Structures are given as structure tokens and as C-alpha cells.
Amino acid sequence: MAKTIMAVGAHTGDAQLTCGLLLAKHAMAGNHIITVDLTAGERGTPPSMSVSEFRKMNVSSAQEFASMLGGESIVLDTPDGELADTPAAELQLARLMREKKVDAVLYHWKNSMHKDHIQASKITENAIFFASLASFELDGLPPAPIRQMMYAENWEDAEGFVPYCYFDVTEAFPLWKEAVKKLYLTEHSKDFKYLRYYEALSVMRGALIKTDHATAFGIAEYAKRVKMDI
Ligand SMILES: [Zn+2]
């Protein structure tokens, strides 16, 4: 049965750049992928555009990215820079996880140089709790079948991040690269060479598992127990 993979980012670009390779791999395997941008990242406005124009452009580029993977894009209305871990934010995301019957969630690691990323990590973690808890009533929706949650490797969330699960994404790499070029950040950001960084990261992670391109994720300490029998 096809799975549904949801990647949650604080700003448009976060999920697509850090989780996109794994999303592309799943899309090619016939699974359903969803990107959720908790904000549109509209305050990174270039001088030539207004904040509202930039927001519109980011929303449509997130849509184009998801369409190229045959999936869906959801961009929430919270203003960029104003994310806060509130019960309303947690339940809004939990509701989406239930409605979409999500099997796996990819999201921000808890430490970050960006305040929105820290909030996004908390919001997502708590949303997973409310989405999964069968005894918690949420608009009559059945609990989401979430079995896997993993932290994405984001250059802004590097403090204490330890990659643990590696995925060979060599075949998905060309699709991801084409899709991610739809994002403003990828082609125009002067602050940080996003595409160059994430492409090189996939080569470096790939070398470690003896393939051309890989993507790596962290998981919670409690999920690292391995049952051994020697
Ligand atoms: Zn961000």
C-alpha cells in the first residue's frame, strides 16, 4: 500500500531543500508526498518585491515543487518570523496529519540559529503526539498512522545534529534538482548558496554509504534501540 510522507518546514524552502531528496525517492516509488510550510518565508523579500508579492511567489513555487513530485503543497498563513508553539498551531498541524493519514513525518531538529525553526520543531513534535493519540478527540478524525519521525539535516539547525538514517537517493537526485530550482532561494539567494550546499551534502553523505547521492536524517535517542541476538 502506498505511504504518505509529510515534510514540515518553518519557511518555504526548508522542507524542499532538506527533505526533498527523500520525498523525490518516495514519489518515484509511488508514495504520496506532502510539504507543509508553516510560513511562506516572505520576510526574506528581495529589494525588488513587496512582502506580499514575495509571499505569493513562494507559495506558487512550493506548489510547483510538489507538483513535479506528483504530491501536494500546503503553506500555512502564519507570518514569517512569528511562529510560536501554541496549542492552536499544534492542533492545526495535527488535524492535517490526521486528514492526510500520514505514515511518516520529516521535520526540524530542535536546535537552530533561527527562532522559527526551533518553534517549528516543537510544533511538529507536539502535533505528531496529538495526531497519533487515539484517545484524543480531534474533529472526529481517526488517528494518523505515524510510524516514523525523523529530523532533517538543515545547515541552520546544525548544533548537536547527528545523522543516523541514510538513504540512497542517487536515482531521485535529478528530479529533486529540477524541482528545487523552482524555489527563489535556490537560484537567487546571495546570502547562502543553497543548491551548491545541499548538492554537495548529498555527495558527501553518498560517499559515506558508497553511493553517488544520499540524504541523512536524525532520530530520537529512544528510537535507536536495536534488538540484538548473537
Ligand atoms: Zn527556514
Side-chain angles (χ1 to χ4, degrees):
M1 210 174 87
K3 290 181 198 156
T4 298
I5 318 294
M6 176 182 277
V8 183
H11 311 104
T12 296
D14 282 313
Q16 294 83 356
L17 285 160
T18 66
C19 309
L21 280 160
L22 187 57
L23 295 178
K25 181 184 174 85
H26 276 282
M28 289 169 72
N31 291 320
H32 185 55
I33 68 98
I34 304 169
T35 55
V36 179
D37 304 337
L38 298 178
T39 81
E42 70 274 9
R43 287 200 167 113
T45 325
S48 58
M49 248 183 262
S50 70
V51 168
S52 68
E53 281 170 336
F54 192 47
R55 181 186 156 78
K56 257 186 223 158
M57 199 183 81
N58 282 349
V59 170
S60 73
S61 64
Q63 181 62 56
E64 279 185 78
F65 174 91
S67 297
M68 284 187 71
L69 273 55
E72 73 187 286
S73 160
I74 297 166
V75 183
L76 301 183
D77 290 333
T78 310
D80 182 9
E82 298 179 32
L83 265 188
D85 178 22
T86 62
E90 292 168 5
L91 294 183
Q92 182 183 27
L93 186 57
R95 199 174 291 113
L96 282 175
M97 290 171 180
R98 287 194 180 204
E99 283 169 356
K100 306 292 181 186
K101 301 180 169 54
V102 169
D103 294 287
V105 182
L106 316 175
Y107 64 113
H108 287 274
W109 168 238
K110 64 181 178 180
N111 297 328
S112 182
M113 65 170 84
H114 198 304
K115 68 186 273 300
D116 279 352
H117 290 204
I118 296 169
Q119 297 301 311
S121 184
K122 289 181 185 166
I123 292 167
T124 312
E125 198 131 299
N126 293 335
I128 291 168
F129 175 83
F130 288 122
S132 308
L133 185 64
S135 57
F136 184 76
E137 158 58 30
L138 188 56
D139 299 345
L141 295 161
I146 300 168
R147 282 185 300 277
Q148 190 67 62
M149 44 219 258
M150 300 194 297
Y151 312 119
E153 185 163 24
N154 188 315
W155 75 280
E156 291 169 277
D157 310 344
E159 189 189 326
F161 176 85
V162 179
Y164 188 80
C165 305
Y166 284 67
F167 298 87
D168 184 344
V169 291
T170 304
E171 286 179 19
F173 181 81
L175 171 61
W176 169 78
K177 192 170 174 179
E178 276 312 298
V180 91
K181 281 181 179 172
K182 303 291 177 193
L183 302 171
Y184 177 86
L185 280 178
T186 312
E187 296 288 277
H188 300 97
S189 174
K190 301 258 188 299
D191 297 337
F192 188 82
K193 294 181 186 299
Y194 286 89
L195 185 57
R196 195 168 163 79
Y197 176 83
Y198 285 106
E199 184 169 357
L201 182 64
S202 78
V203 172
M204 186 271 278
R205 292 290 172 219
L208 293 174
I209 61 163
K210 300 181 174 58
T211 190
D212 287 347
H213 296 280
T215 186
F217 289 78
I219 56 172
E221 284 301 316
Y222 68 79
K224 290 181 181 170
R225 296 182 192 121
V226 180
K227 188 178 171 190
M228 302 291 282
D229 186 13
I230 56 170

